[in-house]
Amino acid sequence: WDAPIFSGFVLFKEILGDNLGKSLYVLLILTLTFMLAQIAMWLLGVTSSNMQTDQGWGRGDGTGPEYDFLAGPVFAVMSIISTLPVGYIVDKRWIGRETFLSISCFTWSASTVLTGYSEQYWQIIIFRMVSAMSTATAQPLCASIVSDFFPSKILTSAMAIFNFGIYIGFSIAY
């Protein structure tokens, strides 16, 4: 029981006391939400060759400039553009974090599904932009909520657990 992982959970219990169950539940839900965002981000890499073949764009092998445009600039630029307004909107309390995160999760899920039903390249570009804008909200909103449930003494450990969502989501997508 001297292993760091076990002593870390003992510390969680000591610090959180009666709030341990609720805090871990919130952490689990947010980690799963972040995992879903990662799946939405990375799923294009798995499905691109089939989309190229079915829709007649690109090389048909999942690579090429059309794929690079979708995976790079389309996603990155829209993510960057949307991240700061999210922080500003939530900091001004125009909408609650939980509500905003729920709307974002619904939006990126719908965008991911609609990408599967797209028939033309320009539709994929639009859905990819929507997906980028909505998944960009996941990290700042989730991190903010996690900080409400975990005091600074164990916040870094809680965030480390939360970030499992990146690796689990990436692994599921591929």
Side-chain angles (χ1 to χ4, degrees), residues 91-108:
D91 286 345
K92 289 289 186 181
R93 304 206 189 281
W94 292 341
I95 185 170
R97 293 172 299 175
E98 295 84 358
T99 302
F100 202 147
L101 185 60
S102 298
I103 293 168
S104 295
C105 186
F106 174 80
T107 303
W108 79 62

Side-chain angles (χ1 to χ4, degrees), residues 25-173:
Y25 174 75
V26 168
L27 183 60
L28 173 67
I29 295 301
L30 293 174
T31 302
L32 291 173
T33 302
F34 198 42
M35 178 192 74
L36 292 174
Q38 297 302 311
I39 291 170
M41 281 189 237
W42 296 106
L43 200 55
L44 178 71
V46 177
T47 60
S48 62
S49 63
N50 290 337
M51 284 192 293
Q52 286 178 344
T53 302
D54 292 346
Q55 297 173 359
W57 58 269
R59 297 179 182 158
D61 64 356
T63 65
E66 294 91 345
Y67 170 78
D68 293 343
F69 182 64
L70 290 171
V74 167
F75 201 84
V77 169
M78 295 311 293
S79 293
I80 291 166
I81 289 171
S82 61
T83 299
L84 288 176
V86 168
Y88 182 77
I89 290 166
V90 173
D91 286 345
K92 289 289 186 181
R93 304 206 189 281
W94 292 341
I95 185 170
R97 293 172 299 175
E98 295 84 358
T99 302
F100 202 147
L101 185 60
S102 298
I103 293 168
S104 295
C105 186
F106 174 80
T107 303
W108 79 62
S109 298
S111 177
T112 301
V113 169
L114 290 171
T115 299
Y117 285 103
S118 63
E119 296 179 358
Q120 296 180 2
Y121 182 72
W122 68 267
Q123 294 170 329
I124 297 172
I125 292 172
I126 299 298
F127 294 135
R128 190 76 176 146
M129 290 172 142
V130 171
S131 183
M133 291 169 56
S134 53
T135 57
T137 66
Q139 206 285 330
L141 292 173
C142 288
S144 176
I145 296 168
V146 168
S147 71
D148 287 348
F149 287 87
F150 294 89
S152 61
K153 190 170 185 179
I154 56 173
L155 181 58
T156 304
S157 296
M159 288 303 299
I161 293 168
F162 164 74
N163 281 315
F164 288 171
I166 296 171
Y167 310 110
I168 296 167
F170 180 80
S171 297
I172 289 173

